[in-house]
Amino acid sequence: MEIEKLLDNNASACYQCEQARGPGCNTFKGVCSKSPETTAIQDHITWLCMQLAAAAVQNRAKVTDEQLVLFNRAMFTTLTNVNFDDDALMRYAEDLTAELTTLGVSGVNKSAAEAVATLKDYGLAHRIHKFGETVAGLRETVVYGIRGAAAYADHAFVLEGLDPVRKETWMNVEAMAELNKDDLSVDALLGLTLKVGEANFGIMAALDKAHNAALGQPSFAPVNTRPVEGKCILITGHDMDDLHKLLEQCEARGVNVFTHGEMIPAHAYPVLRKYKCLVGNYGTSWRNQRKEFPLFPGPVLFTTNCIMPPREDYKHRVFTTGRVGFPGLTHVANGEFEPVIAAALEAPGYTKADVEAANAESPLLVGAMHAEVLSHAGKVLELIGAGKLRHIFFIGGCDGSTPGRNYFSDLAEAIPDDCLILTGACGRFRINRVKDYGDIEGIPRLLDVGQCNDVFSAIKIAVALSEATGLAVNDLPLSLCVSWFEQKAVAVLLTLLHLGIRNIRLGPSLPRFLTPDALAVLADKFALKPTNNKDAKGDLADMLAGEH
Ligand code: SF4
Ligand code: SF4
């Protein structure tokens, strides 16, 4: 058995993302390029977070805000495609060890070499061996959900401090502490997954509120996708606060800023739009960065995932900040982006000739967050009542490189003209250039609700429709087709399950950490189904016929 072999070889294994191949994705090197050593250190960080959680639950009165913030940051840094820098990761392990000492827990200190040497005692292969595949997979689901939620909690913390996410951070700490128990049943673990989903709902709501407070209420905005003459920086990831600081620093320096990937919703926020240096969006989703970044004539700043190993030809002009790390890249901290601006001033930037040579492209529309869409609720209900709006689809989530993801573009392309499509997260790039979707009596047919955390907007829209029509959310003419890739998507999925939303189609493949037994439980309880990647039109017919 492969797990036994991994244990015998003291090998690391990882199956936390959709790219996982076999039980030991990175026995040698992960599909994402993560080394076994990095996985071992990330496993060690996760184990330390479990110990911190247990100590925190036992010493609630003694727990400091710094410890809760560290819990979120340490979990965030273990997400797929965030941090490949072992030295930076070890600093998180050291900080966790120090905080554990203040809570009276000792003997947890390990060097990177010791983390690798003791994999047999705590790595994934050990956990699968110890608990069996189903229970181990559900335990991992709880951890992955907490990782995703922790990333959102950290974004909210940066904007408004810990208070708006304190309760939810504690819920995640409590769930994590439970994982120290060896005898958790399948039912108990399902309860924990839903608790994490509930915590993540609160965190997404807090982040939505924090974004609106800091950046203004988002509204529809066309986004330029053509070059603009001048020196330029490309910013990617999800951190709007980093973007805001970068814009402040670039405005007076004559350096333009283009958004990339999950930063495109930035153009919907009035406070960010007012900066003249925010000139457009470049490229598509993270999976194309090694093709697209070499062609961008300026530096690239990564604020969060998803970073891929940079090619040699552009590596020198990639910068990281926040929780992101990659060996050999320059890390800038505390929102001080002068090194990035200096690199932009040295780089060629876009010339007049570049601008003249560029293809004409229609702007992309963003800004369909809940307040904007609900300001048109009367019209939407009128269209439904008049039979002019038949069905609403949500097609979005994380993008990725694995086969089968054409399903989402095929589906969007085939959706009839009397239907609306909500989209969000970097999966949007699978569908937003497929065709001109047009509108239904002035309501754009393709509505981009924002980043992955802005699924919160899609939920608010669905709840408002449910209240206005008197139909339960699960009875609305609404279908959800979610593409998943990494652990934020796991957190979002757990939130949807916590809210009792059924009939979600998930693809392009089901999570490898869920065994057939665990999936049978979810399918039974929530009617979670896989996307039929070879037959998007068949799925569409079923959804239009009311099978969601
Ligand atoms: S994060 Fe994904 S691709 Fe990377 S090692 Fe883990 S399962 Fe493999
Ligand atoms: S939406 Fe998911 S896959 Fe896309 S950049 Fe964000 S974390 Fe990565």
PDB file of all heavy atoms in Angstrom, residues 79-81 237-238 261-262 285-286 304-306 397-400 425-427 452 485-486 488-489, ligand 2:
ATOM      1  N   LEU A  79      -1.255  27.750   3.068  1.00  0.00           N
ATOM      2  CA  LEU A  79      -2.137  27.545   1.908  1.00  0.00           C
ATOM      3  C   LEU A  79      -1.318  27.206   0.654  1.00  0.00           C
ATOM      4  O   LEU A  79      -0.174  27.645   0.526  1.00  0.00           O
ATOM      5  CB  LEU A  79      -2.874  28.860   1.609  1.00  0.00           C
ATOM      6  CG  LEU A  79      -4.383  28.923   1.789  1.00  0.00           C
ATOM      7  CD1 LEU A  79      -4.735  28.834   3.252  1.00  0.00           C
ATOM      8  CD2 LEU A  79      -4.927  30.230   1.243  1.00  0.00           C
ATOM      9  N   THR A  80      -1.950  26.510  -0.256  1.00  0.00           N
ATOM     10  CA  THR A  80      -1.296  26.206  -1.536  1.00  0.00           C
ATOM     11  C   THR A  80      -0.853  27.487  -2.240  1.00  0.00           C
ATOM     12  O   THR A  80      -1.595  28.470  -2.290  1.00  0.00           O
ATOM     13  CB  THR A  80      -2.286  25.443  -2.437  1.00  0.00           C
ATOM     14  OG1 THR A  80      -2.596  24.222  -1.789  1.00  0.00           O
ATOM     15  CG2 THR A  80      -1.705  25.157  -3.816  1.00  0.00           C
ATOM     16  N   ASN A  81       0.364  27.458  -2.786  1.00  0.00           N
ATOM     17  CA  ASN A  81       0.884  28.553  -3.616  1.00  0.00           C
ATOM     18  C   ASN A  81       1.032  29.880  -2.880  1.00  0.00           C
ATOM     19  O   ASN A  81       0.897  30.947  -3.478  1.00  0.00           O
ATOM     20  CB  ASN A  81      -0.015  28.792  -4.853  1.00  0.00           C
ATOM     21  CG  ASN A  81       0.152  27.704  -5.893  1.00  0.00           C
ATOM     22  OD1 ASN A  81       1.036  26.866  -5.778  1.00  0.00           O
ATOM     23  ND2 ASN A  81      -0.690  27.712  -6.906  1.00  0.00           N
ATOM     24  N   GLY A 237      -2.774  38.697  -6.446  1.00  0.00           N
ATOM     25  CA  GLY A 237      -3.159  38.205  -5.120  1.00  0.00           C
ATOM     26  C   GLY A 237      -4.532  38.732  -4.764  1.00  0.00           C
ATOM     27  O   GLY A 237      -5.359  38.971  -5.650  1.00  0.00           O
ATOM     28  N   HIS A 238      -4.776  38.941  -3.472  1.00  0.00           N
ATOM     29  CA  HIS A 238      -6.135  39.325  -3.041  1.00  0.00           C
ATOM     30  C   HIS A 238      -6.163  40.516  -2.099  1.00  0.00           C
ATOM     31  O   HIS A 238      -7.228  40.908  -1.651  1.00  0.00           O
ATOM     32  CB  HIS A 238      -6.796  38.158  -2.302  1.00  0.00           C
ATOM     33  CG  HIS A 238      -6.853  36.875  -3.065  1.00  0.00           C
ATOM     34  ND1 HIS A 238      -5.762  36.091  -3.292  1.00  0.00           N
ATOM     35  CD2 HIS A 238      -7.890  36.227  -3.645  1.00  0.00           C
ATOM     36  CE1 HIS A 238      -6.100  35.018  -3.983  1.00  0.00           C
ATOM     37  NE2 HIS A 238      -7.386  35.073  -4.217  1.00  0.00           N
ATOM     38  N   GLY A 261      -5.429  38.967 -12.061  1.00  0.00           N
ATOM     39  CA  GLY A 261      -6.130  37.876 -11.380  1.00  0.00           C
ATOM     40  C   GLY A 261      -7.196  38.373 -10.421  1.00  0.00           C
ATOM     41  O   GLY A 261      -8.074  39.158 -10.779  1.00  0.00           O
ATOM     42  N   GLU A 262      -7.070  37.930  -9.174  1.00  0.00           N
ATOM     43  CA  GLU A 262      -8.086  38.235  -8.168  1.00  0.00           C
ATOM     44  C   GLU A 262      -8.074  39.691  -7.693  1.00  0.00           C
ATOM     45  O   GLU A 262      -8.813  40.067  -6.796  1.00  0.00           O
ATOM     46  CB  GLU A 262      -7.898  37.304  -6.963  1.00  0.00           C
ATOM     47  CG  GLU A 262      -8.673  36.016  -7.080  1.00  0.00           C
ATOM     48  CD  GLU A 262     -10.160  36.248  -6.913  1.00  0.00           C
ATOM     49  OE1 GLU A 262     -10.778  36.783  -7.855  1.00  0.00           O
ATOM     50  OE2 GLU A 262     -10.690  35.892  -5.861  1.00  0.00           O
ATOM     51  N   SER A 285      -5.911  34.324 -15.229  1.00  0.00           N
ATOM     52  CA  SER A 285      -5.790  33.792 -13.868  1.00  0.00           C
ATOM     53  C   SER A 285      -4.353  33.356 -13.587  1.00  0.00           C
ATOM     54  O   SER A 285      -3.500  33.308 -14.480  1.00  0.00           O
ATOM     55  CB  SER A 285      -6.751  32.632 -13.648  1.00  0.00           C
ATOM     56  OG  SER A 285      -6.185  31.442 -14.147  1.00  0.00           O
ATOM     57  N   TRP A 286      -4.101  32.967 -12.346  1.00  0.00           N
ATOM     58  CA  TRP A 286      -2.751  32.629 -11.879  1.00  0.00           C
ATOM     59  C   TRP A 286      -2.088  31.561 -12.732  1.00  0.00           C
ATOM     60  O   TRP A 286      -0.874  31.548 -12.877  1.00  0.00           O
ATOM     61  CB  TRP A 286      -2.810  32.173 -10.416  1.00  0.00           C
ATOM     62  CG  TRP A 286      -3.506  30.843 -10.246  1.00  0.00           C
ATOM     63  CD1 TRP A 286      -4.843  30.635 -10.135  1.00  0.00           C
ATOM     64  CD2 TRP A 286      -2.889  29.558 -10.216  1.00  0.00           C
ATOM     65  NE1 TRP A 286      -5.115  29.299 -10.031  1.00  0.00           N
ATOM     66  CE2 TRP A 286      -3.927  28.611 -10.071  1.00  0.00           C
ATOM     67  CE3 TRP A 286      -1.574  29.094 -10.281  1.00  0.00           C
ATOM     68  CZ2 TRP A 286      -3.686  27.236 -10.003  1.00  0.00           C
ATOM     69  CZ3 TRP A 286      -1.332  27.730 -10.216  1.00  0.00           C
ATOM     70  CH2 TRP A 286      -2.378  26.817 -10.080  1.00  0.00           C
ATOM     71  N   THR A 304      -0.768  37.828  -2.168  1.00  0.00           N
ATOM     72  CA  THR A 304      -1.195  36.541  -1.583  1.00  0.00           C
ATOM     73  C   THR A 304      -1.035  35.495  -2.670  1.00  0.00           C
ATOM     74  O   THR A 304      -0.363  35.735  -3.673  1.00  0.00           O
ATOM     75  CB  THR A 304      -2.682  36.559  -1.139  1.00  0.00           C
ATOM     76  OG1 THR A 304      -3.498  36.745  -2.283  1.00  0.00           O
ATOM     77  CG2 THR A 304      -2.980  37.633  -0.112  1.00  0.00           C
ATOM     78  N   ASN A 305      -1.672  34.326  -2.467  1.00  0.00           N
ATOM     79  CA  ASN A 305      -1.626  33.314  -3.519  1.00  0.00           C
ATOM     80  C   ASN A 305      -2.326  33.829  -4.775  1.00  0.00           C
ATOM     81  O   ASN A 305      -3.116  34.757  -4.692  1.00  0.00           O
ATOM     82  CB  ASN A 305      -2.265  31.991  -3.059  1.00  0.00           C
ATOM     83  CG  ASN A 305      -3.539  32.155  -2.264  1.00  0.00           C
ATOM     84  OD1 ASN A 305      -3.903  33.231  -1.844  1.00  0.00           O
ATOM     85  ND2 ASN A 305      -4.206  31.065  -2.053  1.00  0.00           N
ATOM     86  N   CYS A 306      -1.956  33.286  -5.965  1.00  0.00           N
ATOM     87  CA  CYS A 306      -1.300  31.998  -6.131  1.00  0.00           C
ATOM     88  C   CYS A 306       0.023  32.193  -6.892  1.00  0.00           C
ATOM     89  O   CYS A 306      -0.008  32.491  -8.083  1.00  0.00           O
ATOM     90  CB  CYS A 306      -2.182  31.074  -6.925  1.00  0.00           C
ATOM     91  SG  CYS A 306      -3.540  30.352  -5.987  1.00  0.00           S
ATOM     92  N   GLY A 397     -15.255  30.430  -8.861  1.00  0.00           N
ATOM     93  CA  GLY A 397     -14.398  29.753  -7.887  1.00  0.00           C
ATOM     94  C   GLY A 397     -12.971  29.825  -8.388  1.00  0.00           C
ATOM     95  O   GLY A 397     -12.646  30.594  -9.291  1.00  0.00           O
ATOM     96  N   CYS A 398     -12.134  29.004  -7.794  1.00  0.00           N
ATOM     97  CA  CYS A 398     -10.723  29.017  -8.170  1.00  0.00           C
ATOM     98  C   CYS A 398     -10.508  28.446  -9.568  1.00  0.00           C
ATOM     99  O   CYS A 398     -11.170  27.484  -9.946  1.00  0.00           O
ATOM    100  CB  CYS A 398      -9.933  28.163  -7.198  1.00  0.00           C
ATOM    101  SG  CYS A 398      -9.789  28.869  -5.561  1.00  0.00           S
ATOM    102  N   ASP A 399      -9.559  29.023 -10.289  1.00  0.00           N
ATOM    103  CA  ASP A 399      -9.152  28.422 -11.564  1.00  0.00           C
ATOM    104  C   ASP A 399      -7.948  27.510 -11.307  1.00  0.00           C
ATOM    105  O   ASP A 399      -7.316  27.571 -10.242  1.00  0.00           O
ATOM    106  CB  ASP A 399      -8.780  29.524 -12.564  1.00  0.00           C
ATOM    107  CG  ASP A 399      -8.673  28.993 -13.986  1.00  0.00           C
ATOM    108  OD1 ASP A 399      -9.147  27.868 -14.253  1.00  0.00           O
ATOM    109  OD2 ASP A 399      -8.093  29.692 -14.832  1.00  0.00           O
ATOM    110  N   GLY A 400      -7.626  26.691 -12.255  1.00  0.00           N
ATOM    111  CA  GLY A 400      -6.480  25.794 -12.127  1.00  0.00           C
ATOM    112  C   GLY A 400      -6.083  25.280 -13.492  1.00  0.00           C
ATOM    113  O   GLY A 400      -6.672  25.666 -14.507  1.00  0.00           O
ATOM    114  N   ALA A 425     -14.173  35.100  -8.303  1.00  0.00           N
ATOM    115  CA  ALA A 425     -12.863  34.456  -8.107  1.00  0.00           C
ATOM    116  C   ALA A 425     -12.205  34.249  -9.465  1.00  0.00           C
ATOM    117  O   ALA A 425     -12.770  34.592 -10.517  1.00  0.00           O
ATOM    118  CB  ALA A 425     -12.993  33.171  -7.326  1.00  0.00           C
ATOM    119  N   CYS A 426     -11.002  33.690  -9.468  1.00  0.00           N
ATOM    120  CA  CYS A 426     -10.271  33.716 -10.735  1.00  0.00           C
ATOM    121  C   CYS A 426     -10.830  32.748 -11.768  1.00  0.00           C
ATOM    122  O   CYS A 426     -10.439  32.797 -12.938  1.00  0.00           O
ATOM    123  CB  CYS A 426      -8.783  33.534 -10.522  1.00  0.00           C
ATOM    124  SG  CYS A 426      -8.287  31.911 -10.002  1.00  0.00           S
ATOM    125  N   GLY A 427     -11.813  31.912 -11.361  1.00  0.00           N
ATOM    126  CA  GLY A 427     -12.535  31.104 -12.350  1.00  0.00           C
ATOM    127  C   GLY A 427     -13.278  31.971 -13.358  1.00  0.00           C
ATOM    128  O   GLY A 427     -13.670  31.492 -14.420  1.00  0.00           O
ATOM    129  N   CYS A 452     -12.978  35.641  -4.368  1.00  0.00           N
ATOM    130  CA  CYS A 452     -13.556  34.400  -3.825  1.00  0.00           C
ATOM    131  C   CYS A 452     -14.334  34.677  -2.542  1.00  0.00           C
ATOM    132  O   CYS A 452     -15.411  34.121  -2.325  1.00  0.00           O
ATOM    133  CB  CYS A 452     -12.478  33.339  -3.627  1.00  0.00           C
ATOM    134  SG  CYS A 452     -10.959  33.926  -2.861  1.00  0.00           S
ATOM    135  N   PHE A 485      -9.986  24.750  -6.160  1.00  0.00           N
ATOM    136  CA  PHE A 485      -8.564  24.476  -6.366  1.00  0.00           C
ATOM    137  C   PHE A 485      -7.846  24.325  -5.034  1.00  0.00           C
ATOM    138  O   PHE A 485      -7.209  23.321  -4.767  1.00  0.00           O
ATOM    139  CB  PHE A 485      -7.923  25.593  -7.209  1.00  0.00           C
ATOM    140  CG  PHE A 485      -6.429  25.505  -7.231  1.00  0.00           C
ATOM    141  CD1 PHE A 485      -5.806  24.406  -7.780  1.00  0.00           C
ATOM    142  CD2 PHE A 485      -5.646  26.500  -6.677  1.00  0.00           C
ATOM    143  CE1 PHE A 485      -4.421  24.292  -7.775  1.00  0.00           C
ATOM    144  CE2 PHE A 485      -4.263  26.398  -6.674  1.00  0.00           C
ATOM    145  CZ  PHE A 485      -3.650  25.289  -7.226  1.00  0.00           C
ATOM    146  N   GLU A 486      -7.974  25.356  -4.170  1.00  0.00           N
ATOM    147  CA  GLU A 486      -7.191  25.300  -2.939  1.00  0.00           C
ATOM    148  C   GLU A 486      -8.064  25.530  -1.710  1.00  0.00           C
ATOM    149  O   GLU A 486      -9.262  25.343  -1.766  1.00  0.00           O
ATOM    150  CB  GLU A 486      -5.983  26.235  -3.030  1.00  0.00           C
ATOM    151  CG  GLU A 486      -6.282  27.627  -3.502  1.00  0.00           C
ATOM    152  CD  GLU A 486      -7.047  28.426  -2.500  1.00  0.00           C
ATOM    153  OE1 GLU A 486      -6.430  28.986  -1.577  1.00  0.00           O
ATOM    154  OE2 GLU A 486      -8.292  28.512  -2.637  1.00  0.00           O
ATOM    155  N   LYS A 488      -9.011  28.078   0.248  1.00  0.00           N
ATOM    156  CA  LYS A 488     -10.060  29.090   0.409  1.00  0.00           C
ATOM    157  C   LYS A 488     -11.358  28.536  -0.182  1.00  0.00           C
ATOM    158  O   LYS A 488     -12.443  28.780   0.332  1.00  0.00           O
ATOM    159  CB  LYS A 488      -9.676  30.373  -0.310  1.00  0.00           C
ATOM    160  CG  LYS A 488      -8.613  31.166   0.381  1.00  0.00           C
ATOM    161  CD  LYS A 488      -8.376  32.424  -0.437  1.00  0.00           C
ATOM    162  CE  LYS A 488      -7.246  33.236   0.092  1.00  0.00           C
ATOM    163  NZ  LYS A 488      -6.837  34.248  -0.887  1.00  0.00           N
ATOM    164  N   ALA A 489     -11.217  27.808  -1.283  1.00  0.00           N
ATOM    165  CA  ALA A 489     -12.409  27.207  -1.907  1.00  0.00           C
ATOM    166  C   ALA A 489     -13.032  26.186  -0.969  1.00  0.00           C
ATOM    167  O   ALA A 489     -14.264  26.031  -0.930  1.00  0.00           O
ATOM    168  CB  ALA A 489     -12.036  26.565  -3.239  1.00  0.00           C
TER     169      ALA A 489
HETATM  170  S1  SF4 B   2      -9.256  32.410  -6.420  1.00  0.00           S
HETATM  171 FE1  SF4 B   2      -8.192  30.572  -5.657  1.00  0.00          FE
HETATM  172  S2  SF4 B   2      -6.947  29.833  -7.379  1.00  0.00           S
HETATM  173 FE2  SF4 B   2      -7.573  31.942  -7.827  1.00  0.00          FE
HETATM  174  S3  SF4 B   2      -5.844  33.191  -7.159  1.00  0.00           S
HETATM  175 FE3  SF4 B   2      -7.343  33.086  -5.493  1.00  0.00          FE
HETATM  176  S4  SF4 B   2      -6.682  31.372  -4.219  1.00  0.00           S
HETATM  177 FE4  SF4 B   2      -5.627  31.180  -6.194  1.00  0.00          FE
END
